[in-house]
Amino acid sequence: MAVTTRMLGRSGIEVSALGMGCWAISGPWAEGGQPLGWGAVDDDESVRAVRRALDLGITLFDTADTYGAGHGERVLGRALAGRRDHAVIATKWGYTFDEASRQATGEDASPGYLRRAVTASLRRLGTDRIDLYQLHLADLPVPRAQALIGTCEDLVAEGLIRGYGWSTDRPDRAAAFGHATNATAVQHTLSVLRDAPDLLAICDKYDLASVNREPLAMGLLTGKYSAGSTLPRDDVRGSTPGWLEWFRGGRPAPEWLRRVGAVRAALTADGRTLAQGALGWIWARSGRTVPIPGCRTVAQVEENAGALRRGPLPADQFVEVERQLAALRTAALRDADRPHWPRPTTPTVHP
């Protein structure tokens, strides 16, 4: 059964069931010598990709002020010019950056910076409101985050934002915004390779949308990469900072490639591509999920949008995927092929 729209939590905002992540189209930026972008991009192709997504029924576009040190918001604003009312814009704040040097410079969790950040994002996006405004500091202590709720509510009352949320993989952080009047979403990692039952339970408890980053495991679930693939150093996946688990040493991590291989047949059994099957798994997992795979080209947008016509995985396919993964999760792993548990310490900037 096709799935085309879902509600963005309790906000009353209807969005396409599939969004577009805009990190990859934001161009180069860095923290010191550590690249944080996906390498050089063609802004004209990025604009075409966003507009093609709109043509194919994708309405949710997720970016952040720090992506490309502001450039990502500018590109998205250019792409949506004249079509703003057909799109739902989600962006984030919390990290500081220098636009001229394209450098990440730190973070600021103060209410004053929140106000300055939303004003700057509105200007770069060329819009008068942001539909979903998300705290980007995933590990910010709960009391400091809750101190921002009052300002967020004021921004809603002023019409500058329509709703807000937190981009975090920490269940205690996600729950901290749950009771807030206009909180509407949690953005977190979710894919067939990385389930998030605790975060989905919080979304159910507080009637929040589950906006899913890395739904294709940063490209591993497209089938494009093999054990011999090497990514360039100007791509964040090629330089592989400690928090990035899907790649290691600029190559796909072997333990994750094994899991992709284990579920490929079940995900594609009804004629879907691997990426479409992975997106279908997310929709079958929960009625609150809105995956936001990153895209850099029109072709990538078109393939992902094809998943909308297919809809959630049928129950039998979903069960088979879970069976394959259960067997893999219980199998002993060689020391050299073991995932990094727990995940490494988060550096200053984690897109």
Side-chain angles (χ1 to χ4, degrees):
M1 183 189 302
V3 55
T4 56
T5 63
R6 289 191 167 180
M7 296 304 297
L8 200 61
R10 57 178 184 262
S11 68
I13 300 172
E14 187 176 67
V15 297
S16 54
L18 178 69
M20 176 176 168
C22 298
W23 177 13
I25 68 171
S26 298
W29 95 107
E31 183 180 20
Q34 170 63 60
L36 294 172
W38 294 52
V41 295
D42 179 343
D43 287 347
D44 290 337
E45 177 67 6
S46 298
V47 168
R48 287 190 290 269
V50 170
R51 292 176 177 170
R52 182 59 175 152
L54 274 175
D55 292 341
L56 294 172
I58 295 171
T59 62
L60 176 65
F61 298 89
D62 178 85
T63 187
D65 58 3
T66 193
Y67 292 172
H71 188 68
E73 288 186 331
R74 295 184 187 281
V75 170
L76 182 59
R78 173 186 160 196
L80 295 178
R83 302 182 69 177
R84 171 64 183 92
D85 290 342
H86 299 287
V88 175
I89 294 177
T91 192
K92 311 177 193 76
W93 92 95
Y95 289 114
T96 59
F97 51 91
D98 180 70
E99 289 197 52
S101 64
R102 289 209 175 191
Q103 278 286 319
T105 57
E107 60 184 59
D108 192 330
S110 68
Y113 182 73
L114 165 54
R115 278 203 167 271
R116 295 194 298 275
V118 74
T119 299
S121 285
L122 289 167
R123 182 181 66 251
R124 286 188 292 265
L125 288 162
T127 186
D128 61 351
R129 81 278 185 192
I130 292 165
D131 300 294
L132 174 60
Y133 203 41
Q134 301 157 104
L135 176 60
H136 206 173
L137 305 177
D139 297 313
L140 190 68
V142 167
R144 293 182 63 194
Q146 290 179 322
L148 299 169
I149 290 175
T151 304
C152 288
E153 290 291 336
D154 289 343
L155 294 173
V156 173
E158 295 164 25
L160 299 180
I161 67 175
R162 297 175 69 190
Y164 56 90
W166 199 339
S167 178
T168 181
D169 289 331
R170 299 281 295 271
D172 60 330
R173 268 62 172 179
F177 273 25
H179 290 296
T181 303
N182 286 290
T184 188
V186 177
Q187 184 172 141
H188 62 90
T189 303
L190 179 69
S191 73
V192 65
L193 303 180
R194 166 74 67 197
D195 199 359
D198 292 344
L199 286 156
L200 290 173
I202 287 166
C203 290
D204 284 340
K205 179 177 180 179
Y206 295 109
D207 194 11
L208 302 172
S210 165
V211 178
N212 313 129
R213 72 174 103 87
E214 301 178 25
L216 300 180
M218 297 184 79
L220 291 187
L221 285 163
T222 66
K224 178 179 178 181
Y225 300 106
S226 66
S229 299
T230 303
L231 286 95
R233 287 286 302 173
D234 64 347
D235 187 318
V236 66
R237 299 169 298 174
S239 57
T240 50
W243 48 264
L244 199 160
E245 64 182 327
W246 308 116
F247 293 80
R248 194 155 63 246
R251 294 177 179 273
E255 67 272 11
W256 294 119
L257 279 181
R258 289 197 304 117
R259 294 188 182 197
V260 172
V263 298
R264 180 189 295 267
L267 289 173
T268 60
D270 61 354
R272 303 170 196 247
T273 67
L274 179 60
Q276 291 168 354
L279 295 171
W281 181 91
I282 289 176
W283 290 321
R285 178 68 179 84
S286 167
R288 296 185 178 276
T289 53
V290 184
I292 49 169
C295 304
R296 282 197 283 185
T297 66
V298 169
Q300 290 170 343
V301 167
E302 290 174 342
E303 178 177 357
N304 291 343
L308 287 170
R309 296 190 299 273
R310 297 279 189 170
L313 283 186
D316 58 341
Q317 277 183 262
F318 184 85
V319 168
E320 177 59 18
V321 170
E322 292 304 288
R323 188 186 71 80
Q324 295 280 2
L325 286 175
L328 200 57
R329 288 168 186 145
T330 58
L333 293 170
R334 300 190 311 274
D335 286 343
D337 194 28
R338 186 180 301 279
H340 296 299
W341 302 117
R343 295 179 71 175
T345 302
T346 303
T348 303
V349 176
H350 181 180

